[in-house]
Amino acid sequence: MSRKLLLENAHIEGINTYDVYRKNGGYRSVEKALKSMSPDDILEEVKKSGLRGRGGAGFPTGMKWSFLAKPDGVPRHLVCNADESEPGTFKDRYLMEKIPHLLIEGMIVSSFALGANQSYIYIRGEYMYVLQILEKAIKEAYDNGWLGKNIQGSGFDFDLAVTPGAGAYICGEETALIESLEGNRGNPRMKPPFPAVKGLWQRPTVVNNVETIAAVVPIVNDGGDEYAKIGIGRSTGTKLISASGNINKPGVYEIDLGLSVEEFIYGDDYCGGIKNGKKLKACVPGGSSVPILPHYLVCKTAEGNDRLMTYESLSEGGFETGSMLGSGGFIVYDEDQCIVRNTWNFARFYHHESCGQCSPCREGTGWMKKVLHNLEHGKGKQEDIDLLWDIQSKIEGNTICPLGDAAAWPVAAAIRHFREEFEWHVKEPSLSQEKNYGLVTEKQFETETA
Amino acid sequence: MADENKIKVTIDGKSVEVDPGTTILDAARQVGGDVVPPAMCYYSSLEGSGGKCRTCLVQVTKGSERDPRPMPKLVPSCSTAVMDGMEVSNKTSDRVLEARKGVVELLLINHPLDCPVCDQAGECHLQDLAFEHGVSQSRYDFKRREFDKVDIGEYIKLHMTRCILCYRCVYTANQLTENREHGVLKRGDAAEIGTFIEKNLKNDFIGNVIDVCPVGALTDKTFRFRSRVWYTKPMDAHRNCEKCSGKSVLWMVGDEVTRVTARKDEYGEVKEFICNDCRFDSKDVSKWTIEGPRKIKRHSVISANHYSKEIPKHTTLLNKA
């Protein structure tokens, strides 16, 4: 069983209220930071911890913080990205819903480290009830002197506000988030300049995921070295995983990075195996945008190594035979699931969520969706599969923001690993409407790579 | 001797020295000729424009003298600043040509291709772009996106179906006028240019959105369906105007002024915007001082028959015909 650094107290009755949270050791990190640490000390601890961004890209947080420009007389901001919209990901919601004060505590400490006196939590519009929970918690924090002027007599002034979006996946992209926070249409900005130089209102800004900011609390409490002891190599600490799909126990799990994927899927402490005794067909380990893995690449890598829940192990083999840890949206498919249908569903999502600013994504996502719709509904042609491959390759890497890549990768991976199933949909149009293809064979994979 | 403050950039093997902060596209325009990437959304006089259409993507094969690593992705040349010693491939890179072909194909899948009845035909950037980089057959066999035609003001017709969402008109309206009346509604491929509840655009300079539109989405209602542009003769002319410089182009049929536009440079960009009075209400030749015929670079698809050598290789259908 993994240690719990974030969700340790999540089950305690009333932990979402200030009194219970404080009684269970809450706001200790703020006391420690404000009394005995300088902003640079905290940055040093975060660097030592090896913490990497938990939103999906996995960029080292300490490095991101150290890029923040610090011109004289210009306010800086920390923005918490709570626009969790990746299909299959629901860890931030759980954390904010259960222990909202942990996020607030993390925001105070992180803002102190960055020298920000006004920070924002940008929350997804669909999480309206979570917004209310957070607002209540922020009010409690103000009432008890953890927010506002001169926090706990330390001389540090800090204000925190939570702002809801209007329900757009694209606003999880940091520059689109900043645009939306400023009150504009949520279109991503051109980079450079990066937010660390010109972000919110053209001021230096750090945008971090909810889980990243929450993880700063145990890092400050116990020290970066202690945090770095958990995990393997450059994947340190614990990670929240949102497990869903055909498993016995879907939910949010806090795991030590380095846990084996096999244990995570089949272990009784975690997902508890595939539901109804079925066989594993495929797995999307990091949210809908990362490449899907066929069953023979889930627990073992192509090299035959055990696949582990780390940034490195999940991406071993690149996009040919690997995937990504991403945001930790772990979706499991059993033998009865249709990959074509699943890919179509993802494509539908990305088409709906494209902002429409740059042409490859605006036009390409809709085209992929239509071609996949035909394939899934028995109206596909053999050349449609190559066409799909071609469209995704025209989108990937050619767009302003990563939404184009996120739309292209799942299509590419599905065709790469499940081409046989796509072809079956074309060859057996009526049969494919009645039943599912079943498991893809490893033999096909061997002949492809040979 | 080289200027100390200039930096050197090489595009398709041709070197040029430019000021720091210059974009790759502007550097290429200083070289001129066929190293200039096409641009559908970038407009040098509009702040914030560019980066959206992705037709100007280029490959940076050497980042700079200090950091010679190539850039992993293709970059939009209109919004990427040059570095000293940077080497860029435009037409010499197959990867760039392939990506550009892809962008053109994607731009065209929802375009109505109604050039025979479109007023922009003959001076349409999308038409030129498709002629140079496109393929003769589309692989898209779904219903194309359609919108109703809308009047936005007395003089301007918006035909959203043709729009490629370059945002040029949005920047023009925002930067010319004080109120934000013109913008983009909805998102993804349902996004459309719109005014606040179909409000009329009323501003002395709003007619310029017609000139910045690269396609036939915004057209001049005083000229619509009057004549094909290639039957009209462009004449440089000016008049004394209180609102603008009065420097315009009259598009004449005989002695009749069919249309007035601002003067566009070789990249189709207007440097001096003109007012509505000049554009819409001065179609009487006696109001103008004619300077002489305007030289237009005939590079468009409608001039294709005049080419003797330079037909691009991939237009094989034309060659066979």
Side-chain angles (χ1 to χ4, degrees):
Chain A
M1 192 73 194
S2 296
R3 266 156 296 187
K4 285 185 180 171
L5 297 179
L6 306 181
L7 302 182
E8 172 84 62
N9 296 331
H11 63 280
I12 297 173
E13 183 80 12
I15 193 75
N16 60 351
T17 62
Y18 172 75
D19 292 337
V20 179
Y21 183 73
R22 178 77 176 136
K23 234 178 267 167
N24 286 281
Y27 290 100
R28 264 194 306 138
S29 69
V30 180
E31 284 174 316
K32 182 176 174 188
L34 295 184
K35 279 194 189 129
S36 62
M37 293 173 88
S38 71
D40 284 345
D41 292 340
I42 301 174
L43 175 62
E44 206 45 49
E45 290 303 320
V46 171
K47 277 186 177 169
K48 270 195 262 175
S49 74
L51 175 67
R52 292 169 68 175
R54 301 294 195 226
F59 192 80
T61 306
M63 205 189 286
K64 192 174 196 176
W65 285 13
S66 62
F67 287 156
L68 184 70
K70 294 181 175 169
D72 283 338
V74 182
R76 306 186 277 273
H77 298 289
L78 170 67
V79 177
C80 171
N81 185 347
D83 191 73
E84 179 181 54
S85 326
E86 180 98 347
T89 311
F90 43 86
K91 62 184 178 74
D92 296 340
R93 184 189 72 198
Y94 184 82
L95 191 145
M96 292 186 288
E97 198 184 324
K98 293 287 175 188
I99 27 175
H101 283 283
L102 181 66
L103 176 60
I104 296 168
E105 186 176 347
M107 286 297 285
I108 301 168
V109 177
S110 306
S111 296
F112 176 67
L114 295 167
N117 297 100
Q118 169 75 63
S119 294
Y120 299 88
I121 300 171
Y122 181 91
I123 191 165
R124 183 180 180 199
E126 287 89 337
Y127 285 178
M128 219 23 118
Y129 71 103
V130 186
L131 171 81
Q132 288 163 1
I133 294 170
L134 279 175
E135 279 182 336
K136 188 168 156 278
I138 287 174
K139 190 178 175 299
E140 286 178 329
Y142 267 108
D143 291 347
N144 289 283
W146 296 99
L147 289 172
K149 292 253 176 266
N150 192 15
I151 294 174
Q152 305 291 318
S154 65
F156 176 57
D157 300 338
F158 177 63
D159 286 297
L160 179 62
V162 49
T163 313
Y169 173 70
I170 188 63
C171 292
E173 197 278 337
E174 57 180 7
T175 56
L177 187 156
I178 288 169
E179 282 286 317
S180 175
L181 199 53
E182 288 181 7
N184 303 326
R185 182 184 165 84
N187 279 2
R189 291 179 183 169
M190 234 71 69
K191 289 187 269 192
F194 288 92
V197 181
K198 282 185 177 173
L200 189 60
W201 297 302
Q202 300 297 310
R203 297 165 179 169
T205 305
V206 167
V207 183
N208 277 144
N209 180 255
V210 172
E211 190 189 341
T212 315
I213 291 171
V216 175
V217 174
I219 289 170
V220 168
N221 277 337
D222 309 330
D225 288 330
E226 199 60 32
Y227 188 85
K229 281 181 190 164
I230 308 169
I232 293 175
R234 290 181 58 235
S235 299
T236 57
T238 64
K239 172 92 186 80
L240 300 183
I241 304 288
S242 333
S244 63
N246 309 111
I247 44 176
N248 282 319
K249 296 195 294 172
V252 176
Y253 294 92
E254 182 168 4
I255 61 156
D256 288 359
L257 286 172
L259 181 79
S260 80
V261 173
E262 187 162 9
E263 176 163 9
F264 185 68
I265 297 178
Y266 295 102
D268 286 336
D269 287 336
Y270 305 100
C271 301
I274 312 293
K275 213 169 180 178
N276 301 325
K278 301 252 182 202
K279 286 192 200 118
L280 173 72
K281 176 174 185 175
C283 173
V284 172
S288 64
S289 59
V290 309
I292 192 169
L293 292 174
H295 63 92
Y296 49 85
L297 289 173
V298 175
C299 299
K300 295 268 182 211
T301 66
E303 299 282 297
N305 302 322
D306 282 341
R307 183 86 75 185
L308 308 176
M309 299 289 278
T310 62
Y311 292 96
E312 293 77 20
S313 176
L314 279 168
S315 55
E316 190 184 319
F319 279 6
E320 289 301 314
T321 60
S323 183
M324 281 165 77
L325 179 61
S327 60
F330 197 90
I331 312 170
V332 178
Y333 302 85
D334 73 17
E335 57 196 290
D336 288 343
Q337 304 309 314
C338 174
I339 297 300
V340 179
R341 189 173 186 82
N342 179 66
T343 313
W344 169 52
N345 193 29
F346 285 172
R348 235 167 27 151
F349 173 81
Y350 289 110
H351 168 241
H352 186 251
E353 296 297 340
S354 167
C355 80
Q357 187 178 208
C358 58
S359 13
C361 172
R362 176 182 69 235
E363 308 293 350
T365 50
W367 194 1
M368 291 200 298
K369 181 193 83 167
K370 288 173 186 167
V371 174
L372 279 160
H373 177 273
N374 276 0
L375 282 166
E376 163 61 15
H377 292 87
K379 289 180 265 176
K381 298 188 288 280
Q382 191 63 35
E383 58 265 32
D384 283 348
I385 303 167
D386 296 325
L387 175 65
L388 262 184
W389 183 268
D390 209 40
I391 302 171
Q392 69 79 20
S393 71
K394 297 278 162 59
I395 301 174
E396 196 217 331
N398 291 343
T399 55
I400 296 175
C401 82
L403 195 143
D405 301 340
W409 291 341
V411 174
I415 297 176
R416 187 180 289 123
H417 298 301
F418 298 92
R419 199 181 177 100
E420 224 174 56
E421 186 166 339
F422 280 84
E423 286 170 354
W424 179 75
H425 274 255
V426 174
K427 283 180 204 145
E428 304 283 354
S430 52
L431 194 62
S432 70
Q433 303 306 298
E434 288 163 22
K435 60 177 271 220
N436 284 308
Y437 181 74
L439 288 177
V440 63
T441 55
E442 198 160 352
K443 211 174 112 208
Q444 178 207 352
F445 168 68
E446 280 164 358
T447 50
E448 249 179 34
T449 49
Chain B
M1 210 181 88
D3 189 332
E4 288 284 302
N5 294 322
K6 296 266 183 179
I7 55 177
K8 190 181 148 196
V9 54
T10 309
I11 304 163
D12 280 354
K14 292 179 183 164
S15 296
V16 64
E17 291 194 342
V18 296
D19 294 323
T22 309
T23 62
I24 298 174
L25 184 73
D26 282 335
R29 285 182 178 182
Q30 289 180 29
V31 178
D34 64 356
V35 308
V36 185
M40 298 296 288
C41 68
Y42 172 74
Y43 209 81
S44 56
S45 52
L46 297 175
E47 198 191 329
S49 68
K52 296 175 173 57
C53 70
R54 317 307 278 182
T55 54
C56 73
L57 289 173
V58 291
Q59 188 174 7
V60 176
T61 48
K62 181 181 168 188
S64 68
E65 213 53 70
R66 252 180 41 206
D67 182 2
R69 285 176 301 169
M71 293 189 185
K73 285 182 175 184
L74 302 180
V75 297
S77 57
C78 66
S79 49
T80 307
V82 295
M83 306 293 275
D84 195 23
M86 184 185 265
E87 287 176 17
V88 179
S89 294
N90 174 35
K91 281 212 155 169
T92 51
S93 161
D94 287 341
R95 197 174 146 205
V96 168
L97 294 178
E98 189 60 27
R100 199 167 288 159
K101 221 167 97 183
V103 172
V104 175
E105 182 176 27
L106 290 166
L107 279 174
L108 289 177
I109 64 171
N110 275 311
H111 190 78
L113 297 171
D114 58 348
C115 310
V117 295
C118 176
D119 284 294
Q120 192 83 2
E123 52 181 27
C124 174
H125 293 200
L126 186 61
Q127 208 175 26
D128 295 346
L129 184 77
F131 182 63
E132 278 169 44
H133 298 281
V135 289
S136 50
Q137 283 270 311
S138 176
R139 295 181 289 176
Y140 187 78
D141 50 8
F142 299 94
K143 192 172 180 299
R144 284 159 197 263
R145 180 174 63 220
E146 276 179 23
F147 296 89
D148 291 336
K149 297 181 192 74
V150 188
D151 284 326
I152 47 171
E154 210 178 331
Y155 300 115
I156 306 168
K157 181 75 105 181
L158 168 64
H159 191 7
M160 188 58 214
T161 310
R162 291 174 185 153
C163 179
I164 58 162
L165 282 163
C166 69
Y167 282 61
R168 280 179 182 176
C169 60
V170 176
Y171 289 113
T172 308
N174 280 356
Q175 283 163 35
L176 286 175
T177 67
E178 285 169 7
N179 300 325
R180 195 171 145 227
E181 296 171 345
H182 178 95
V184 176
L185 313 171
K186 303 182 187 166
R187 70 181 180 207
D189 59 10
E192 57 177 299
I193 300 293
T195 52
F196 181 62
I197 318 186
E198 299 195 5
K199 183 177 168 174
N200 288 349
L201 290 177
K202 278 187 201 152
N203 179 279
D204 285 338
F205 283 81
I206 202 66
N208 289 293
V209 297
I210 299 167
D211 278 350
V212 301
C213 183
V215 295
L218 291 165
T219 46
D220 180 345
K221 279 167 71 181
T222 65
F223 179 66
R224 273 171 74 83
F225 307 129
R226 293 275 306 277
S227 171
R228 307 305 323 211
V229 294
W230 56 89
Y231 294 143
T232 62
K233 286 206 171 64
M235 304 292 270
D236 277 342
H238 65 268
R239 64 186 276 265
N240 287 329
C241 178
E242 290 170 359
K243 292 174 183 161
C244 68
S245 69
K247 288 179 188 165
S248 312
V249 180
L250 308 184
W251 299 76
M252 318 271 295
V253 175
D255 284 341
E256 189 196 356
V257 180
T258 57
R259 179 171 71 137
V260 181
T261 66
R263 295 180 185 177
K264 294 181 182 178
D265 67 9
E266 58 182 310
Y267 303 111
E269 290 187 7
V270 174
K271 299 290 181 206
E272 278 184 86
F273 289 120
I274 60 167
C275 69
N276 289 0
D277 288 357
C278 290
R279 184 186 301 273
F280 301 118
D281 297 328
S282 308
K283 295 205 177 176
D284 182 346
V285 74
S286 66
K287 290 185 178 175
W288 296 88
T289 310
I290 308 275
E291 294 165 19
R294 179 160 187 84
K295 293 230 161 34
I296 301 276
K297 200 179 150 208
R298 296 273 180 203
H299 61 100
S300 145
V301 57
I302 57 153
S303 311
N305 294 336
H306 305 303
Y307 280 99
S308 49
K309 294 173 201 162
E310 289 179 48
I311 295 179
K313 272 183 208 153
H314 57 261
T315 52
T316 45
L317 279 179
L318 271 172
N319 289 338
K320 276 177 198 159

